[in-house]
Amino acid sequence: MNQLLARSVMRRLVSGSTSNRFISSLSLPSSLSSSAVVVWKEVRNPTSDSVVMMSDQRLGFSAGQWWRMMSSTSEPPTKNSTCSTAVRKEDGKTSGASVEKMEGEDDVADSSYWGVSRPKITKEDGSVWPWNCFMPWETYQADLSIDLSKHHVPKTFLDKVAYWTVKLLRIPTDLFFKEKYGCRAMMLETVAGVPGMVGGMLLHLRSLRKFEQSGGWIKALLEEAENERMHLMTMVEIVQPKWYERLLVIAVQGVFFNFYFVLYLLSPKLAHRVVGYLEEEAIHSYTLYLNDIDRGKIENIPAPAIAIDYWRLPKDATLKDVVTVIRADEAHHRDVNHFASDIHYQGKRLQEAAAPIDHGPVKTRRVNGALLISHEIPK
């Protein structure tokens, strides 16, 4: 009888057809009156202790009955509603689900139920860090002292295959983009971000299969892929590609990924040599880009915010500064991939030589005040 009476009261309370006067005038057994009032308060104004207070010891019916009743009568959460659930632990402390409502129209609830919610990150000036695609400790200042004119002269048959393959690939690019260097750079980065991911993935799988270390090359190649992706994110902000350019990117990536995947399986030394020559072409293209900026043919617009934060550029940085640091990154990738190919030509595996971490030789950056120096590429 007590269970039926409590269930009836709860249905009326949750559906919103009752009021405080109904509770006060209703005659309930003493064992249920206080529980009903607690439930009424929790339904009208849920708190973090809702689940704990509404237990079957206080209401006199099972948790399964309570859940079925609530799920059939409760309304879905509204935009302005917030709730959290407290869970008892052995040490007396509580942890659980909490959903925080942020102010604004487009705010998204941030759940910390699993304890993996992102902490609040700020810049050095105290402002909120606006990016979730990279963190402050992943930023750096590009090493502009690297030699841009270095060229690996093709000597072996495979070197010549790699060299002329890249030269042939440049022909359709020149015909399609001509002097639209911003669009050319965007297309170049969608291709340049593939080799590092493919090489890193295959080395990762090899390490899992053969239970062996990679010598740091997995990290080096994946860092290369991430750096190229950030080049793309920056160029998209500058160029704003049209629909047919986006369609072309999909087609080119689909072809190039499969081509490079098979090539790396068959001959890693050829694959890395191809990338080395691709990066040499990238340096040439970005140099032409800079020449047009200097001549005034391309407007030297302010640098995008993402580029200023990623390369730690001054706040008044321009497009010329962005292209300059991207070109330096490409020079580092050129050296890394030619070095990787040379290792294979010597009949060794990559893990037998230390991998040049951090996009290239002798690059420094500060992380939380500490100066980090990456490995130098062996001669």
Side-chain angles (χ1 to χ4, degrees):
M1 182 62 183
N2 288 346
Q3 294 180 1
L4 293 176
L5 182 58
R7 186 183 302 175
S8 176
V9 170
M10 287 307 305
R11 284 176 178 169
R12 295 296 299 276
L13 289 176
V14 175
S15 63
S17 61
T18 59
S19 65
N20 286 327
R21 291 193 301 270
F22 176 80
I23 296 246
S24 61
S25 62
L26 188 65
S27 104
L28 294 172
S30 59
S31 61
L32 288 178
S33 59
S34 60
S35 298
V37 173
V38 168
V39 172
W40 168 251
K41 290 180 179 178
E42 296 301 338
V43 171
R44 292 299 297 260
N45 185 23
T47 67
S48 60
D49 296 329
S50 302
V51 175
V52 176
M53 295 179 71
M54 294 185 289
S55 61
D56 57 347
Q57 286 85 359
R58 300 192 65 173
L59 295 179
F61 50 90
S62 67
Q65 292 172 325
W66 163 253
W67 173 252
R68 286 193 298 272
M69 180 174 65
M70 289 298 291
S71 62
S72 63
T73 58
S74 60
E75 297 179 356
T78 61
K79 182 178 179 181
N80 296 324
S81 65
T82 59
C83 64
S84 61
T85 304
V87 181
R88 293 178 180 175
K89 284 192 172 182
E90 294 179 359
D91 58 359
K93 296 182 180 180
T94 59
S95 64
S98 63
V99 179
E100 299 180 359
K101 179 68 176 67
M102 308 296 291
E103 296 180 359
E105 288 289 332
D106 301 324
D107 294 329
V108 180
D110 176 26
S111 175
S112 60
Y113 181 84
W114 298 106
V116 294
S117 60
R118 174 184 170 185
K120 184 178 180 180
I121 301 174
T122 58
K123 298 183 183 180
E124 294 178 356
D125 59 4
S127 59
V128 178
W129 183 256
W131 314 106
N132 56 13
C133 53
F134 66 99
M135 294 293 104
W137 48 87
E138 295 170 331
T139 64
Y140 65 98
Q141 292 176 330
D143 177 14
L144 303 181
S145 64
I146 189 169
D147 185 3
L148 300 174
S149 62
K150 287 174 63 176
H151 168 63
H152 185 279
V153 178
K155 298 177 181 178
T156 67
F157 172 74
L158 288 182
D159 281 356
K160 294 178 182 179
V161 169
Y163 178 78
W164 288 110
T165 298
V166 172
K167 286 296 184 182
L168 290 174
L169 291 176
R170 187 182 177 90
I171 295 176
T173 305
D174 289 340
L175 293 175
F176 186 83
F177 292 108
K178 298 181 179 179
E179 294 185 356
K180 297 169 61 178
Y181 293 112
C183 297
R184 179 199 293 264
M186 182 204 64
M187 175 60 66
L188 178 68
E189 300 304 345
T190 63
V191 173
V194 171
M197 181 59 65
V198 172
M201 175 187 68
L202 291 177
L203 290 178
H204 173 76
L205 295 177
R206 178 187 179 91
S207 177
L208 296 180
R209 290 195 311 271
K210 299 200 171 185
F211 315 111
E212 62 185 17
Q213 299 292 338
S214 70
W217 279 97
I218 295 175
K219 179 177 177 59
L221 293 178
L222 293 182
E223 274 198 355
E224 175 187 313
E226 173 65 7
N227 182 247
E228 298 285 10
R229 189 184 69 84
M230 292 305 300
H231 292 176
L232 175 62
M233 296 297 101
T234 300
M235 297 310 302
V236 167
E237 292 287 329
I238 297 171
V239 176
Q240 296 297 319
K242 299 178 177 60
W243 68 268
Y244 57 86
E245 292 172 334
R246 293 176 179 268
L247 188 62
L248 181 62
V249 166
I250 295 175
V252 171
Q253 188 183 85
V255 173
F256 185 74
F257 175 87
N258 290 284
F259 162 76
Y260 192 80
F261 180 83
V262 174
L263 180 63
Y264 203 96
L265 288 175
L266 296 176
S267 177
K269 61 183 174 183
L270 177 59
H272 282 292
R273 192 69 80 200
V274 166
V275 178
Y277 287 127
L278 278 174
E279 300 296 358
E280 290 185 16
E281 292 297 329
I283 295 170
H284 177 67
S285 295
Y286 281 116
T287 300
L288 296 177
Y289 198 173
L290 286 172
N291 291 340
D292 276 4
I293 294 175
D294 290 335
R295 288 195 294 261
K297 297 178 67 173
I298 298 177
E299 182 183 0
N300 192 21
I301 61 176
I306 189 172
I308 291 176
D309 285 339
Y310 183 70
W311 282 283
R312 297 189 182 181
L313 299 174
K315 293 184 178 180
D316 59 348
T318 61
L319 174 60
K320 181 178 179 179
D321 298 318
V322 174
V323 176
T324 300
V325 294
I326 291 178
R327 183 178 63 172
D329 284 349
E330 304 293 8
H332 288 299
H333 301 326
R334 171 203 63 193
D335 292 347
V336 169
N337 281 277
H338 280 315
F339 172 52
S341 183
D342 289 343
I343 294 173
H344 285 290
Y345 268 107
Q346 295 171 11
K348 300 178 181 179
R349 295 184 300 173
L350 289 182
Q351 57 264 43
E352 296 180 42
I357 307 297
D358 233 1
H359 315 305
V362 197
K363 181 177 290 187
T364 63
R365 63 180 180 178
R366 287 193 176 274
V367 178
N368 295 329
L371 185 64
L372 302 184
I373 304 178
S374 62
H375 297 289
E376 182 177 1
I377 298 179
K379 301 295 184 182

